């Protein structure tokens, strides 16, 4: 589940989406699992419809998905399907809120909600946003680094570092916006 949530955050963090109704894109994911040294590859398509509908459909591994519809999160991970009511699950509620704030381009709120610092740097038509946790925790992310185009605020790359040492990198491409 964490890989789905992270990918969604990659695609939407630092997006200024007010007035935009739908975004479509492709993604590639690479994850290093520190404990085993294993590398995991994934790919697929993303569709975001404002204000709170997000669908990720994986082509690799085929059949996996992660969907947010209001207060419901549905997912299929390696054939294991589940549906979560985020009003009854605080962990998923926090993840959903983080994602929606990222979608709205409110990465400062993401930092505040996650007790993290936020640093922004702009160079050569790209902006890098680094969100770093202030203290270690048993779950969550020690650091999130976002790269996006300054011309249209679309995320193109993201690196997520977990407290356990796992690192997930995402590349976003073929981005289209429909109003």
């Amino acid at each position: 589940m964490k890989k789905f949530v992270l990918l969604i955050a990659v695609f939407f963090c630092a997006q200024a989406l007010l007035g935009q109704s739908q975004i479509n894109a492709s993604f590639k994911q690479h994850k290093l699992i520190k404990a085993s040294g294993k590398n995991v590859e994934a790919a697929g398509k993303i569709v975001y419809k404002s204000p709170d509908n997000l669908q990720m459909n994986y082509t690799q591994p085929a059949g996996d998905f992660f969907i947010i519809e209001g207060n419901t999160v549905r997912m299929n991970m390696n054939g294991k399907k589940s549906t979560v009511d985020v009003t009854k699950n605080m962990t998923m509620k926090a993840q959903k809120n983080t994602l929606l704030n990222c979608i709205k381009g409110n990465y400062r709120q993401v930092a505040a909600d996650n007790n993290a610092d936020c640093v922004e740097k702009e160079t050569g038509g790209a902006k890098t946003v680094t969100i770093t946790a202030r203290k270690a925790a048993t779950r969550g992310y020690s650091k999130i680094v976002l790269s996006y185009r300054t011309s249209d605020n679309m995320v193109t790359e993201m690196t997520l570092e977990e407290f356990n040492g796992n690192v997930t990198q995402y590349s976003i491409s073929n981005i289209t916006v429909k109003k």
Side-chain angles (χ1 to χ4, degrees), residues 39-57:
N39 289 299
V40 179
E41 304 292 330
K45 304 283 184 188
I46 300 171
V47 178
Y48 166 75
K49 295 178 185 175
S50 63
D52 62 358
N53 183 301
L54 178 69
Q55 297 182 16
M56 281 183 39
N57 294 302

Side-chain angles (χ1 to χ4, degrees), residues 11-174:
F11 181 68
F12 293 110
C13 282
Q15 303 282 326
L17 298 179
L18 296 175
Q20 298 176 353
S21 60
Q22 182 171 319
I23 294 177
N24 299 309
S26 300
F27 71 86
K28 290 184 180 179
Q29 171 193 325
H30 173 83
K31 182 170 185 166
L32 170 63
I33 301 171
K34 184 180 179 184
S36 66
K38 183 178 177 182
N39 289 299
V40 179
E41 304 292 330
K45 304 283 184 188
I46 300 171
V47 178
Y48 166 75
K49 295 178 185 175
S50 63
D52 62 358
N53 183 301
L54 178 69
Q55 297 182 16
M56 281 183 39
N57 294 302
Y58 279 71
T59 55
Q60 177 190 351
D64 282 5
F65 60 80
F66 182 90
I67 299 170
I68 295 174
E69 295 174 323
N71 285 323
T72 302
V73 175
R74 294 184 299 123
M75 62 193 97
N76 181 22
M77 298 171 33
N78 300 317
K80 296 179 184 177
K81 293 182 180 181
S82 62
T83 301
V84 178
D85 177 348
V86 298
T87 64
K88 298 176 182 177
N89 183 315
M90 290 298 115
T91 300
M92 287 300 291
K93 181 177 183 177
Q95 290 177 340
K96 174 195 175 250
N97 289 340
T98 295
L99 294 174
L100 290 178
N101 279 324
C102 288
I103 289 168
K104 295 171 184 172
N106 196 355
Y107 50 84
R108 288 184 186 101
Q109 185 63 48
V110 172
D113 290 348
N114 291 286
N115 194 26
D117 295 314
C118 183
V119 176
E120 304 169 43
K121 294 181 183 177
E122 192 170 328
T123 56
K127 185 174 188 175
T128 301
V129 176
T130 303
I131 300 170
T132 307
R134 293 183 186 128
K135 61 182 179 178
T138 55
R139 293 184 185 173
Y141 313 109
S142 58
K143 186 189 317 185
I144 299 171
V145 180
L146 308 163
S147 296
Y148 67 97
R149 303 181 299 216
T150 55
S151 61
D152 60 5
N153 294 320
M154 294 293 161
V155 171
T156 58
E157 302 216 5
M158 182 173 177
T159 301
L160 299 152
E161 297 178 21
E162 300 173 42
F163 287 108
N164 65 10
N166 294 345
V167 178
T168 307
Q169 298 174 316
Y170 299 95
S171 295
I172 309 301
S173 60
N174 304 319

